[in-house]
Amino acid sequence: MTRKSLVLPAVAGLLISTLAACGGTDGSGSDGKAIVLGSTDRIEASKVAPAPLDPALAYDFASWSVLHNTFQTLMRLPRSGTEPIPDAAEKCGFQDRQSEQYRCTLRSGLKFSNGHDLTSKDVKFSLDRVLRIDDPNGTKSLLSNVDKIETPSDREIVIHLSQPDATFPSKLTTPAAAILDSEVYKPDALRDGFEMTGSGPYSAKTEVRNNKLVKVVFTKNPHYKGDVQPKSDKAEMRFYDSASTMEQALVKGDIDVVHRGFSPEQLDKLNKGEIKGVRLFESSGQGIRYLVFNTSDPTVKDKAVRQAIAHLVDRQALVRDVYKRTAEPLYSMIPTSISSHINSFHNEYGDPDPDVARSVLHEAGINTPVKLKLTYTTDHYGPETAAEFKELQKQLNSSGLFSVTIKGYPWRDFRPALVKREFSASGMGWLPDFPDPDSYTAPFLTKDNFLNSPYRNSTIQDELIPKTRQEAQRSLADKDFQSIQNAIASDVPYLPLWQGNTYVAARGNVTGAEYAFDSSTMLQLWELGKGN
């Protein structure tokens, strides 16, 4: 399928700030030590999420960063670009013009990290397992279009789709389609805990404390067969409780790379060169932040309430005062770096205007001030989230039209409560499953959407999304994606706030930092190494 129409930065020049030429690397570096990454991400086992590293459940950036380097998928994204290429497969392709039958041939001699053979039966087992487990917090929505899977031989897989879907090869690049060892994983139950068995370029050993992941040690997988060539034989990912502690570790040289979790103030210090021996690489990011409204909740059920909020939110103030311009205002669920983007919310609502918001509520017969509770997660998107919601509270309350209270919850409680529709309005973040406008629309708008949103728009769900998926040449779907964006701006089941840039901080001897992320912002550990 053709994805050359996507307006994305070339990954070869993706990380542009103070980029110096990168030389070669000899395995784990001249000192033989592992390359060490730091992050403030939180990966935690809980009652509702007992298996945070099981591909049938894991559906967040932190977990996918681990899975992406441990498991193989039939397809993957290349070092640069957006068109999927074979990974565990030797070749793949649609066998019909309707994009409903997808056939792959596996590489010969594939094995898992434990030495077990990997065959087409393991591929079928893995995809069927996601659908069978059907965890409400999991990844089934990415594979829900799979009708049946056939395995004509040990190396052949034929996947039949219930509807045409030109984006399906891209979905096969995600950890949702990770290939599991059918001798290790159960077909109808999650693998509780943090153990993983894959066939990717690295095997992984986890260190856990109080049900929370504190370290992952990645070791080059001797059984791996694929075209990825790891630049380091060993890598570590360490998880810190705070950005300040992580910064201290970077200054001391305990870690080599930071790929997640610095505050805007810390990024400013790095950009000014105030942390000696460390370079900051920046790119236009694809992650977005938004409000999700429970459209069945009495407080926000009336569209006029949601529209009034859209008339009041000042995105410029958010990115200026809270995020110190490390983010950009966003006026669509599809960010500016993805084709088909239009500023639908700005076109619909313009600049913040309390008088217009007041008129919208008055015409709908809604008494003011409207009492509203905004909820957010305290430990998943960074320390600025609380400040962001205080700013949103101030903006809405200063209009006199709303009486807003805010409350934060830890992610382990926040995520399941959101899916159970216990909140009226909440803050969420999103990184694409794959670099296509479909990944910013379908996961939010189909019946089996990952947020369990009650919002339904039959035109979007039954006509526009299926139509966009029939277009192998993605630019031909632009008009329909623009119609989707305009409909969302009118109904406001979601309110886009901002899109963030992507940052990587690396010590001077680190090579490959410019390739740390692929075009879907997935971490590529194998690209990182140490020079002399």
Side-chain angles (χ1 to χ4, degrees):
M1 102 188 128
T2 301
R3 295 194 180 275
K4 294 180 180 178
S5 61
L6 294 183
V7 184
L8 291 171
V11 178
L14 185 63
L15 305 165
I16 58 175
S17 179
T18 66
L19 179 59
C22 294
T25 178
D26 53 347
S28 298
S30 56
D31 57 4
K33 295 181 180 179
I35 187 163
V36 182
L37 291 83
S39 169
T40 57
D41 282 326
R42 190 181 185 97
I43 302 178
E44 187 175 14
S46 65
K47 185 176 181 180
V48 295
L53 294 179
D54 190 310
L57 175 64
Y59 203 1
D60 62 272
F61 179 89
S63 298
W64 276 22
S65 293
V66 177
L67 300 182
H68 187 61
N69 293 280
T70 311
F71 291 90
Q72 274 185 301
T73 47
L74 288 172
M75 303 290 284
R76 69 177 181 88
L77 291 172
R79 190 186 210 197
S80 61
T82 60
E83 187 168 356
I85 60 175
D87 186 10
E90 183 179 86
K91 60 180 179 180
C92 285
F94 282 110
Q95 301 300 300
D96 61 335
R97 293 185 177 181
Q98 288 74 37
S99 300
E100 290 182 316
Q101 186 185 114
Y102 197 71
R103 181 184 291 267
C104 292
T105 301
L106 293 176
R107 297 176 187 269
S108 62
L110 289 173
K111 291 181 181 293
F112 291 101
S113 59
N114 58 11
H116 293 175
D117 290 338
L118 188 164
T119 71
S120 60
K121 292 182 180 178
D122 294 295
V123 178
K124 174 177 168 58
F125 167 86
S126 303
L127 301 181
D128 284 343
R129 179 176 179 271
V130 172
L131 298 173
R132 188 181 299 113
I133 290 176
D134 190 16
D135 192 282
N137 296 304
T139 55
K140 179 189 175 182
S141 61
L142 283 166
L143 302 177
S144 60
N145 197 23
V146 173
D147 184 26
K148 66 177 181 177
I149 304 171
E150 299 174 319
T151 55
S153 72
D154 283 349
R155 291 181 57 199
E156 291 181 286
I157 307 101
V158 182
I159 304 171
H160 299 269
L161 305 181
S162 57
Q163 292 181 317
D165 187 0
T167 72
F168 189 67
S170 294
K171 293 173 181 175
L172 291 178
T173 70
T174 71
I179 303 172
L180 312 181
D181 185 348
S182 58
E183 297 182 52
V184 174
Y185 287 81
K186 295 179 180 179
D188 54 3
L190 296 169
R191 186 180 185 181
D192 290 358
F194 297 85
E195 298 303 312
M196 296 167 285
T197 305
S199 61
Y202 291 101
S203 59
K205 183 178 181 180
T206 58
E207 183 177 318
V208 180
R209 190 178 303 132
N210 297 324
N211 290 323
K212 187 173 69 172
L213 192 62
V214 295
K215 182 194 292 185
V216 185
V217 177
F218 297 90
T219 304
K220 191 174 179 180
N221 177 11
H223 298 292
Y224 170 71
K225 288 196 174 182
D227 57 8
V228 165
Q229 298 181 358
K231 305 299 189 299
S232 292
D233 293 337
K234 195 172 184 179
E236 287 186 14
M237 193 180 294
R238 299 177 187 174
F239 299 92
Y240 292 84
D241 290 332
S242 70
S244 59
T245 304
M246 184 170 63
E247 180 185 343
Q248 293 171 11
L250 182 63
V251 171
K252 290 170 58 179
D254 292 340
I255 55 179
D256 304 298
V257 177
V258 171
H259 67 290
R260 286 273 285 180
F262 270 156
S263 69
E265 290 78 8
Q266 289 171 313
L267 291 172
D268 186 54
K269 288 170 60 178
L270 285 161
N271 196 44
K272 293 177 179 177
E274 295 179 10
I275 299 180
K276 300 299 182 183
V278 177
R279 296 174 295 163
L280 182 67
F281 302 89
E282 177 183 356
S283 72
S284 175
Q286 297 185 47
I288 68 170
R289 290 287 284 276
Y290 59 95
L291 293 179
V292 52
F293 294 104
N294 176 4
T295 55
S296 64
D297 185 278
T299 306
V300 295
K301 186 175 183 179
D302 195 312
K303 181 169 64 173
V305 174
R306 307 192 301 268
Q307 290 175 329
I309 294 172
H311 276 295
L312 293 172
V313 168
D314 187 344
R315 297 167 177 83
Q316 296 284 351
L318 275 180
V319 301
R320 181 190 65 235
D321 300 336
V322 178
Y323 290 97
K324 312 303 180 186
R325 295 188 171 87
T326 58
E328 300 291 336
L330 182 62
Y331 297 94
S332 169
M333 292 298 287
I334 300 175
T336 58
S337 54
I338 295 291
S339 69
S340 305
H341 165 87
I342 56 172
N343 288 321
S344 52
F345 273 81
H346 195 273
N347 295 340
E348 182 79 18
Y349 300 99
D351 295 328
D353 193 328
D355 291 334
V356 176
R358 183 176 294 104
S359 297
V360 169
L361 293 172
H362 177 74
E363 291 174 8
I366 296 172
N367 295 325
T368 58
V370 177
K371 292 184 178 181
L372 175 67
K373 182 179 178 181
L374 293 179
T375 56
Y376 62 94
T377 174
T378 57
D379 56 2
H380 196 68
Y381 296 123
E384 297 76 32
T385 307
E388 176 181 0
F389 274 76
K390 287 179 181 177
E391 173 65 24
L392 288 170
Q393 179 187 38
K394 183 182 75 173
Q395 291 179 11
L396 296 178
N397 286 351
S398 64
S399 70
L401 302 174
F402 287 86
S403 176
V404 174
T405 58
I406 58 176
K407 186 171 182 180
Y409 298 83
W411 181 253
R412 66 176 181 271
D413 300 325
F414 175 83
R415 181 73 173 89
L418 178 66
V419 172
K420 292 178 183 177
R421 303 179 184 174
E422 294 179 6
F423 303 140
S424 299
S426 306
M428 282 288 288
W430 180 253
L431 282 162
D433 299 320
F434 49 91
D436 186 279
D438 182 89
S439 191
Y440 293 93
T441 50
F444 302 92
L445 300 169
T446 54
K447 183 179 180 180
D448 58 349
N449 67 85
F450 84 106
L451 292 169
N452 193 30
S453 168
Y455 173 73
R456 296 289 180 268
N457 183 310
S458 59
T459 300
I460 293 175
Q461 184 174 308
D462 301 332
E463 299 177 23
L464 293 176
I465 289 178
K467 189 177 177 183
T468 63
R469 289 177 170 175
Q470 294 178 29
E471 298 292 355
Q473 188 173 338
R474 303 305 288 152
S475 61
L476 297 179
D478 284 355
K479 184 177 180 181
D480 292 319
F481 279 120
Q482 290 167 5
S483 295
I484 293 172
Q485 291 170 85
N486 287 334
I488 296 307
S490 177
D491 291 345
V492 203
Y494 306 100
L495 182 67
L497 298 173
W498 54 266
Q499 67 179 84
N501 295 329
T502 299
Y503 296 91
V504 175
R507 301 195 66 82
N509 63 337
V510 171
T511 64
E514 69 271 35
Y515 301 113
F517 295 111
D518 66 19
S519 55
S520 66
T521 326
M522 277 289 93
L523 180 66
Q524 303 180 122
L525 269 180
W526 56 82
E527 295 287 358
L528 299 174
K530 288 184 180 180
N532 295 324

